[in-house]
Amino acid sequence: CPLGLEASMAHERRPPMAPSASRYHRRRSSGTRDERYRSDVHTEAVQAALAKHKERKMAVPMPSKRRSLVVQTSMDAYTPPDTSSGSEEEGGQGEGTPTSSQGSVSMEHWISRAIHQGSTTSSSSSSTQSGGSNAPSPSSASTSIPQPVTPTLPAIHPSNLFMASPLNTDSLVCVFIGSFRKFDSCLNDNICFFPGLCVLLCINTCVSSLGVPVSSRVSAKIQQLVNTLKQPRRPPLREFFVDDFEELLEVQQPDPNQPRPEGAQMVTIRGEPLGVVTNWPPSLEAALQRWGTISPKAPCLTTMDTNGKPLYVLTYGKLWSRSIKVAYNILHKLGTKQEPMVRPGDRVALVFPNNDPAAFMVTFYGCLLAEVVPVPIEVPLTRKDAGSQQIGFLLGSCGVTVALTSDACHKGLPKGPTGEIPQFKGWPKLLWFVTESKHLSKPPRDWFPHIKDANNDTAYIEYKTCKDGSVLGVTVTRIALLTHCQALTQSCGYTEAEIIVNVLDFKKDVGLWHGILTSVMNMMHVISIPYSLMKVNPLSWIQKVCQYKAKVACVKSRDMHWALVAHRDQRDINLSSLRMLVVADGSNPWSISSCDAFLNVFQSKGLRPEVICPCASSTEALTVAIRRPTDDSNQPPGRGVLSMQGLSHGVIRVDSEERLSVLTVQDVGTVMPGALMCVVKAEGVPQLCRTDEIGELCVCSIATGMSYYGLSGMTKNTFEVFPMSSSGAPISEYPFTRTGLLGFIGPGGLVFVSGKMDGLMVVSGRRHNADDIVATALAVEPMKFVYRGRIAVFSVTVLHDERIVVVAEQRPDSTEEDSFQWMSRVLQAIDSIHNVGVFCLALVPANTLPKTPLGGIHLSETKQLFLEGSLHPCNVLMCPHTCVTNLPKPRQKQPEIGPASVMVGNLVSGKRIAQASGRDLGQIEDNDQARKVCVCFLFLSEVSLTCLQLHKRAEKIATMLMERGHLQDGDHVALVYPPGIDLIAAFYGCLYAGCVPITVRPPHPQNIATTLPTVKMIVEVSRSACVMTSQVISKLLKSKEASAAVDVRTWPPVLDTDDLPKKKPPQLYKPSNPDTLAYLDFSVSTTGMLAGVKMSHTATSAFCRSIKLQCELYPSREVAICLDPYCGLGFVLWCLCSVYSGHQSILIPPSELEVNPALWLLAVSQFRVRDTFCSYSVMELCAKGLGLQTESLKSRGLDLSRVRTCVVVAEERPRIALTQSFSKLFKDLGLHPRAVSTSFGCRVNLAICLQGTSGPDPTTVYVDMRALRHDRVRLVERGSPHSLPLMESGKILPGVRIIIANPETKGPLGDSHLGEIWVHCAHNGSGYFTVYGDEALQSDHFNSHLSFGDTQTVWARTGYLGFLRRTELTDASGGDHASLVLFICGLETSVIRTHKSIMECAVFPWTNLLVVVVELEGSEQEALDLVPLVTNAVLEEHYLIVGVVVVVDIGVIPINSRGEKQRMHLRDGFLADQLDPIYVAYNM
């Protein structure tokens, strides 16, 4: 027996002295209904635990919510007709609307507090160290919030890819990957191993010592081998299916001090023998026949109406005759004589409402007589009932084609337009048959049902809903049915003509066994109380016990609780007739509080303590145990006070009631007659438990279920269990049945149940029971907060562990402050009492959780709604920082390559150095004034312009700058023009005058307030001596609207170029030194920093030449460009390349596409363009605007079949989904999928790679995300677990060299390593242009040197992480075919995938927290659904904890002209509280 339990039980074996009755009256008068789980001891424990927290303020701010959302979730919006489990009206429903709770705690203040103080829970310490979510990275300390102007690029380490740290966001979420190139000759032409990548056989394709290329001699076989080895190595099958997360995640180590079972191995407990009583019938039908013929007038069942008046009395004679009639009609009146629809052994559905037990009883016995198997189910009220689809699945798998029902029920079913009953979702096609006597034919005189002795045929199937919502059918045989009735008769001492009051559902479980089956065997009289009457009058069952002097009542603890609440000292109550009060849910450990309280109040009304008989039952094992009614009042029930800490480790430790976290359990009596019981371990093989260990109760008896219908595998695991002793030998030759109940067997063979397997949640190796968590939440003041005590607790699996979710309905009149205060107190209480964190606490409006037919919460449906984001909570609190303690181990340091390991050539410690280069640029030719006649620019909607016209116009502008502007050589000029020819002419005019042009996007006339400050900032930061623009914009810059946004008096001189002087300048400026500044490239990076990059004349010429070679540009070519011409590659293509290469450019301003999305593609088709450039925003506009118009465009003659390259220009990773959908959409218009590719540039080098005209097609590779965490690259196949698709960003440009370096040590890295991309080429920028001149900080970006190896070359650091991937193709001109693949670590992609309403998402780090902003398309009610989904997705896929989730309207995330998200602008807007979010959730 459990240690110390004997003594504690002896001490407890006295009538429990609960607090005085007056105390109960005082509590009840409040009209609250939360006391089903009430235990005074527990409530006091919870209050004591919370008092400890009082001193400690919660370090968590209230979520901020848009006012409209608060108003919508207020009381008026949610008071639907009440169908919940309540009875009388709630007291005091005020009409007040809760107010918004914005600004309750300042955000910054909270976050700093949260970070400095740490979390309030004990379990958080491990999470902060393991995940890095709260640990600042060393490199980030100085750059927590960058200055707005000074471009800063902190040293970026690959770790930052996975850690939320305050970095340049691109470095947080951008990684730049890999490059194709030929294999350099390996030493000895051997096989080279790239650990974690793939095995490559390198063939020496270089020139042999004789100067003869040897590649020509490579045989086809060897070539085939090379190709085979080049493919990603397929991991063995096991790796695909066994999730090897152990290598990555922190595995919870068991606590060495945790309590362990110490008792001896338990022995099987045997119930008393099942007595053989001579007059027991051979089958239940025989009993019915006997009573129906001997005592036809004896009452069998009395039904009640909703006023509590007897509605109908069914006698045994009527039951017998009507059952025969039903049996005859089922067998002979359905289908034809030759083809009856129902034969003996077939399954039929019984669909009866809860207020019509008589019709159900007649039909049930009719089925038994016809030897047809009844499957009782609930009445489907709508086509979308909670769990209805799974019931349909059960009916389908049982082969049910006929549904038997009553007249009233048939009329109440939903009907289609023609009056037929529709097919419910997931249900098989059914014939509905009404079994009311008036609708049936009389059986012929000679027809009589065949009554056999009970055998192993199936008698009926009872449905059972599993934890995951699936519905199984448990088959009960005729012999099991009869034996169970006999066992209940013996243990309950039933005798003929006894009166029993039944409040339970008569279609299943205890209500069916006592109220329909055992009652008939003993000719008892059942008074059935419908659920609808209980709702109106919770005392009705007590009144019926008094009225009929009933000996037995079957109730649940909630019925006792409601009776207590409704009881107002009624005088006429006398319960002395009761000899047995069966408590059907005695297996819920919290039923003890209702039992105690009920006894306390009604003992004075004649209720004897020994009358209360809790029982434990399960669908599989029927009645497991029941407390016997005794006449000996000196034999009080047993109870144990158990430590919850011990229970969570599966052991029994007796505790004094003074301790806070205890569970008081009462016994549920002893084992059933004729049964054996043992307790086996809950997980793993069914091994017997020790005496002080909690396990699953198993029963061996004839009176149990037989199988799950049609599921042999699950049947074997549940109904055919052979428990084993510690030696491994089975303890019995007969199989046992698992009951699904957790518990132990105490002294004297008393059975104690501590919970259900279905309610079990194993969190970090410790077990918690959902009911216990519910009880703790309900014990938190204010008691009245939860609407009618409706709380659902379940677990969801996130990151390989179960996480607890609590969902509660809040009362309609509660305010935001109430709910938030209650939520934080619940978290504290559960943490103190159960020592476990709650992952998510959600509040939903009253009456909105899905209900079971009897009004309880439908748990699996609630869980399903939560997981799919359809729960629509009105408040959510997530605590991932507290709960998630198994984040990945810190990144392993790769063995560092030191200078000593650099060997001959390009090998680093046996690995090839990761470097690649484009073709050689060759001699740069002198291009000045080379082409003046050819048409150079064709601006759509404007005239075309030749080089000669451009030259003349530029000369006039140069004259104006010198004469009117009085500018000197080297002065800076801001060009504020819309995209067009004027901009190009002004640019060359500046060069002719020796000035340095800066192209600036003009302010948007409809949005001056936000766009003009950027213009002003660039003009000031670039130190422009004057602004050149058109007349219209010139007026706009000085307008009244402009003066509201900026100080218009501080503009430098503004020159408009609409009216130019006629004369030429005296002479054109020629730079004395090619390294002098040609222009400044100013751009707001994706990190929101304004950075101006200095571009020299040398770099500009080299850039143009590189693009000319890559794209094979020559005078007869036409190129369509739909890009913004203000910075980066867009500017170079728009303004410089045509003049350099002499080809014709067709210029299409992207803004025009907002009016006419087809403009760009029509131009490409009309001019038969082979090469075109666009941005992601242009591609998106076309995909969204033209997706449905491809047919009409085709009919207009749009043809894209000539397009050879369509290059997306961006400074970000390729958006695979967008480029693929664009290719698919326009495939019908002739666009070849190979044509679409991407380019990549960054601030230090405006174009590193670009898809050229020749060379291999762009490819997509799949890399293992877990290897990336450790800075390793492992290629896997498409569809592998943890694979991340990466698309290359085009081929490396001629003249560009790339190397992968360690960002911390600045040493070169091997091929399969992830590191920072460094670039060396003639068109690198020469540096940042800043006002402050503190170029020491940034000089590192433009001129870095490797710490060993090739230490002479000057490299520019891109700030992007990546690796190289090679091909062995060699070009005729000798350059490597190297391709770059750029990727984001998928955070935003993961978030967008989580819910259909998330249209866009942006992620940025802020003070060690990861902030996720999502744009919601749809109703604001869905905003809170997104918070758990986003948090779960990022945890599951990226092992990162989201600190703040911000839900905003569509269009709030700022996008720059290139279609890139401006994450730092977003961050600043968030911090300045300018986003007007719908909801902001702060995850604890």
Side-chain angles (χ1 to χ4, degrees), residues 852-865:
T852 59
L854 285 182
I857 295 172
H858 197 296
L859 203 62
S860 57
E861 197 79 6
T862 303
K863 178 174 175 176
Q864 191 54 40
L865 290 176

Side-chain angles (χ1 to χ4, degrees), residues 516-833:
I516 302 286
L517 306 177
T518 311
S519 59
V520 168
M521 183 173 136
N522 294 293
M523 203 190 85
M524 293 160 69
H525 178 192
V526 179
I527 314 293
S528 190
I529 310 282
Y531 173 64
S532 47
L533 170 59
M534 284 294 290
K535 277 178 71 174
V536 180
N537 176 11
L539 277 173
S540 53
W541 70 271
I542 293 184
Q543 291 161 355
K544 294 294 166 261
V545 168
C546 306
Q547 185 183 335
Y548 287 94
K549 303 257 185 299
K551 291 281 180 71
V552 181
C554 293
V555 298
K556 278 193 166 177
S557 53
R558 67 164 184 207
D559 305 318
M560 299 162 79
H561 168 69
W562 287 352
L564 276 175
V565 171
H567 174 55
R568 296 278 181 278
D569 275 341
Q570 280 85 348
R571 289 206 177 81
D572 51 351
I573 289 181
N574 180 359
L575 298 180
S576 56
S577 67
L578 270 185
R579 66 175 186 81
M580 185 175 193
L581 179 59
V582 179
V583 184
D585 60 346
S587 57
N588 176 353
W590 296 94
S591 59
I592 184 171
S593 48
S594 295
C595 295
D596 285 356
F598 189 80
L599 176 64
N600 210 55
V601 169
F602 289 102
Q603 203 163 359
S604 58
K605 310 281 184 186
L607 180 72
R608 302 189 301 283
E610 65 275 13
V611 164
I612 296 178
C613 296
C615 80
S617 66
S618 80
T619 317
E620 291 85 353
L622 310 183
T623 306
V624 176
I626 188 163
R627 198 186 287 171
R628 315 292 195 262
T630 57
D631 297 328
D632 177 13
S633 55
N634 299 321
Q635 193 54 28
R639 56 179 61 200
V641 183
L642 309 180
S643 147
M644 281 206 188
Q645 171 74 6
L647 285 177
S648 75
H649 292 291
V651 298
I652 301 156
R653 291 291 176 268
V654 175
D655 224 317
S656 66
E657 289 199 35
E658 281 73 60
R659 275 287 305 278
L660 292 184
S661 49
V662 294
L663 178 68
T664 307
V665 287
Q666 63 179 345
D667 72 285
V668 287
T670 51
V671 184
M672 294 298 286
L676 280 172
M677 184 188 281
C678 66
V679 185
V680 301
K681 293 190 187 297
E683 292 101 22
V685 292
Q687 193 182 342
L688 284 182
C689 288
R690 293 169 180 264
T691 49
D692 61 340
E693 192 174 2
I694 297 277
E696 184 175 8
L697 306 179
C698 291
V699 172
C700 176
S701 162
I702 298 171
T704 62
M706 193 65 192
S707 68
Y708 291 128
Y709 187 88
L711 301 168
S712 52
M714 290 180 73
T715 296
K716 201 167 180 58
N717 288 342
T718 303
F719 296 94
E720 297 166 25
V721 177
F722 291 92
M724 295 185 309
S725 61
S726 52
S727 64
I731 59 167
S732 161
E733 57 185 305
Y734 298 108
F736 279 68
T737 299
R738 290 182 182 273
T739 62
L741 302 175
L742 289 168
F744 61 96
I745 298 171
L750 292 178
V751 179
F752 289 84
V753 178
S754 62
K756 291 189 172 72
M757 286 294 285
D758 275 357
L760 188 65
M761 303 178 290
V762 183
V763 182
S764 302
R766 288 175 54 223
R767 303 179 194 167
H768 302 276
N769 209 289
D771 284 334
D772 301 350
I773 306 275
V774 170
T776 300
L778 283 175
V780 171
E781 296 290 346
M783 291 286 295
K784 284 191 189 171
F785 177 79
V786 178
Y787 180 69
R788 309 212 154 152
R790 291 172 62 79
I791 294 186
V793 172
F794 51 86
S795 65
V796 294
T797 303
V798 180
L799 206 62
H800 307 291
D801 199 359
E802 289 187 47
R803 316 286 175 189
I804 295 177
V805 178
V806 178
V807 183
E809 288 189 5
Q810 66 176 37
R811 283 170 55 117
D813 49 358
S814 51
T815 64
E816 288 287 300
E817 282 79 2
D818 283 348
S819 42
F820 193 69
Q821 185 200 0
W822 184 83
M823 288 161 90
S824 33
R825 289 171 71 82
V826 165
L827 294 179
Q828 292 167 344
I830 292 174
D831 182 48
S832 301
I833 302 281

Side-chain angles (χ1 to χ4, degrees), residues 1355-1431:
W1355 299 90
R1357 299 179 62 169
T1358 62
Y1360 287 90
L1361 298 173
F1363 63 81
L1364 291 178
R1365 180 169 177 266
R1366 307 159 177 282
T1367 68
E1368 74 287 357
L1369 286 162
T1370 304
D1371 204 298
S1373 57
D1376 294 356
H1377 263 291
S1379 68
L1380 280 172
V1381 192
L1382 179 70
F1383 87 100
I1384 191 165
C1385 79
L1387 279 173
E1388 294 174 356
T1389 323
S1390 301
V1391 169
I1392 289 172
R1393 276 204 314 261
T1394 56
H1395 196 276
K1396 61 179 188 304
S1397 300
I1398 298 179
M1399 295 320 286
E1400 191 49 273
C1401 149
V1403 174
F1404 56 84
W1406 175 58
T1407 56
N1408 293 343
L1409 287 178
L1410 188 62
V1411 181
V1412 176
V1413 181
V1414 293
E1415 290 184 354
L1416 168 74
E1417 180 185 58
S1419 121
E1420 289 186 357
Q1421 297 304 309
E1422 290 178 12
L1424 283 84
D1425 285 317
L1426 307 181
V1427 177
L1429 295 184
V1430 167
T1431 308

Side-chain angles (χ1 to χ4, degrees), residues 27-66:
R27 275 218 321 271
R28 285 196 313 282
S29 61
S30 67
T32 161
R33 234 173 253 98
D34 298 346
E35 297 177 29
R36 236 180 328 157
Y37 286 86
R38 174 95 183 201
S39 141
D40 284 318
V41 173
H42 192 63
T43 304
E44 284 155 16
V46 170
Q47 298 312 320
L50 288 172
K52 287 187 176 178
H53 280 276
K54 276 275 169 57
E55 297 77 49
R56 264 190 290 175
K57 280 284 184 209
M58 286 286 283
V60 58
M62 269 179 68
S64 57
K65 190 185 281 190
R66 187 178 286 171

Side-chain angles (χ1 to χ4, degrees), residues 1248-1277:
I1248 293 170
C1249 50
L1250 170 70
Q1251 182 71 27
T1253 47
S1254 61
D1257 295 330
T1259 55
T1260 299
V1261 293
Y1262 294 85
V1263 295
D1264 187 332
M1265 286 174 67
R1266 295 163 306 170
L1268 280 181
R1269 248 199 87 74
H1270 298 297
D1271 309 339
R1272 300 302 299 262
V1273 180
R1274 175 180 174 218
L1275 295 188
V1276 291
E1277 298 202 6

